[in-house]
Amino acid sequence: MKICFVAPADNYHTKKWCRWFAGRGHEVHVVSFHRAVTENAELHFIDCGVGVRENDWKKLRYLLRASELRNILAEMKPDIVNVHYATSYGAAAALAGIKRYVLSVWGADVYDFPKKSPLHRLMLCFSLNKASYLFSTSKAMAVEAGKYTKKAFDITPFGVDTELFSPGKRIRAGDGRFIVGTVKTLSEKYGIDYLIKAAAIIHREYSDIPLELRIAGKGPCEKEYRDLAARLQVNGMITWLGFIPQEQAAEEWANMDAAVIPSTLESESFGVSAVEAQSCGVPVVISDIPGLMEAASPGVTALVVPRKDERALAKALVWLYRNPEAGKRMGEEGRKYVLENYEWNDCFSKIEQRLKMIRGGGTTPD
């Protein structure tokens, strides 16, 4: 198939979709309002003069380029158009008058965007109802998006490369340390400040626990989090890794004794990080966000704590330290859980079959 993704070319998930489908022999194109290197696809860049982190009003410039998007697709003649992110790329696609396309919702476009104003809500409804088919990475997000459309959603979870994210990456053994960490963007919605506060509680109240905290990622809250760690006098136990590539992320997860994903907003629509950590055979502690709980098996592969509750998070980590055999079993169950539910070839193969059905216009893939 000739597949065109209308999506931010610089996004990790876009690149992962391109890599998998190109690897299957499909001809892959990306139309993007952001320039980036696309090794597995041909890039069609539409320059709107708007950065990735610009505010919503500036991103209205996307809509002014709807005719350019329409012209690119008319010349390209793809078999499948898959638009990602409902309220920017999705709104542009809706205005472009594309006859038949798939719209994939991402998270913030469904959970946060429509709550900003009646105009934002109308834009989301317009985008969802113009699309021919709707994809959601989680059941929880499909339920949320269902508040704005009566159309049905296909559930298309993000899988992970279980060969890359593997327990075999672990090189630590019996070194006497208790290493806890996360690999997330350092922004408010991911709750890294609560992890730092939990570390401070453990440092202060459980001094026998040899806790080390490893935080990978960059983002707008980095200075705030570093200042918080200094204020709580735990900077010495934290290693700030900055942005790391996927290969290093796999090594980091595998060499942790517990992985923590303490997100605070439900726009964390599917816990890819939790899946990666479980794939590495590591027990995870997650907050009670629906998309995170859908990405794990609470009580079997993961401990669930209330969001924004650093004391509950500290308690969960202390329990894992005190019960290493239970933590080991959770890690083993996590690996099995991912292999059974979120192996990326299985997940993408299902998406591929669905796209073939859509291309054929029938009820079964050709």
Side-chain angles (χ1 to χ4, degrees), residues 53 181-196 213-227 229 238-244 260 262-264 268 273:
R53 300 193 182 278
T182 194
V183 182
K184 297 294 292 183
T185 300
L186 303 186
S187 62
E188 185 178 359
K189 71 180 281 185
Y190 296 120
I192 309 303
D193 49 339
Y194 292 95
L195 174 56
I196 295 169
L213 188 56
R214 295 178 71 81
I215 298 175
K218 300 286 287 184
C221 294
E222 181 174 357
K223 184 179 185 304
E224 175 188 338
Y225 293 162
R226 286 178 177 267
D227 290 345
I238 300 177
T239 300
W240 302 88
L241 297 166
F243 173 80
I244 59 174
V260 181
S263 301
T264 62
E268 173 78 298
S273 295

Side-chain angles (χ1 to χ4, degrees), residues 75 80 88 90 98 101 109 112 117 167 169 203 211 316 319 348:
E75 182 178 349
I80 288 289
S88 53
I98 304 168
Y101 64 96
D109 51 344
D112 302 338
S117 77
K169 296 288 195 308
H203 179 64
L211 176 65
W319 187 88
F348 274 119

Side-chain angles (χ1 to χ4, degrees), residues 197-209 211 232 234 237 310-312 314-315 318 322:
K197 291 174 186 177
I201 291 172
I202 294 171
H203 179 64
R204 184 173 63 249
E205 300 179 13
Y206 303 90
S207 57
D208 63 308
I209 297 180
L211 176 65
L232 295 176
V234 292
M237 67 168 60
E310 61 268 28
R311 187 156 289 278
K315 184 178 179 181
V318 170
R322 304 283 192 224

Side-chain angles (χ1 to χ4, degrees), residues 43 97 100 134 165 198 200 218 231 255 262 290:
L43 176 66
R100 198 157 169 261
L134 297 172
F165 292 93
K218 300 286 287 184
R231 237 179 10 257
N255 285 282

